[in-house]
């Protein structure tokens, strides 16, 4: 069970920035090709959300959960993060 939890957090830690970065990069590339202002606004919001959630929140959340499991939860140190 501890290995499964560790693998899930590893996936979040490394997959989040990868997916968020790809979404943000795709939005950055698409913005100059779009002519409608409302669609440009939506693409800018997608870019911002990809950067915020994928690049900042996912690794930070993994660090916080790792700290909680290693230091706060009884028996969490057996997870070996």
């Amino acid at each position: 069970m501890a290995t499964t939890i560790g693998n899930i957090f590893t996936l979040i830690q490394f997959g989040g920035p990868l997916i968020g970065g790809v979404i943000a990069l795709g939005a950055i590339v698409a913005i100059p090709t779009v002519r409608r202002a409302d669609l440009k606004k939506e693409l800018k919001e997608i870019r911002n959300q990809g950067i915020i959630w994928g690049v900042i929140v996912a690794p930070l959340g993994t660090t916080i959960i790792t700290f909680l499991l290693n230091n706060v939860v009884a028996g969490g140190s057996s997870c070996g993060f």
Side-chain angles (χ1 to χ4, degrees), residues 6-77:
N7 290 340
I8 290 171
F9 291 135
T10 302
L11 182 67
I12 292 170
Q13 184 177 11
F14 296 116
L18 180 65
I19 294 170
V22 168
I23 290 172
L25 183 62
I28 290 170
V29 170
I31 287 173
T33 63
V34 175
R35 297 182 64 99
R36 292 178 28 201
D38 59 335
L39 191 55
K40 278 190 180 190
K41 186 175 179 182
E42 288 182 25
L43 285 172
K44 288 179 182 179
E45 185 65 28
I46 291 170
R47 177 195 63 199
N48 293 341
Q49 291 294 320
I51 291 171
I52 291 170
W53 288 102
V55 178
I56 298 171
V57 174
L60 185 62
T62 305
T63 305
I64 292 170
I65 292 172
T66 301
F67 171 78
L68 290 175
L69 284 176
N70 285 335
N71 299 316
V72 177
V73 177
S77 60

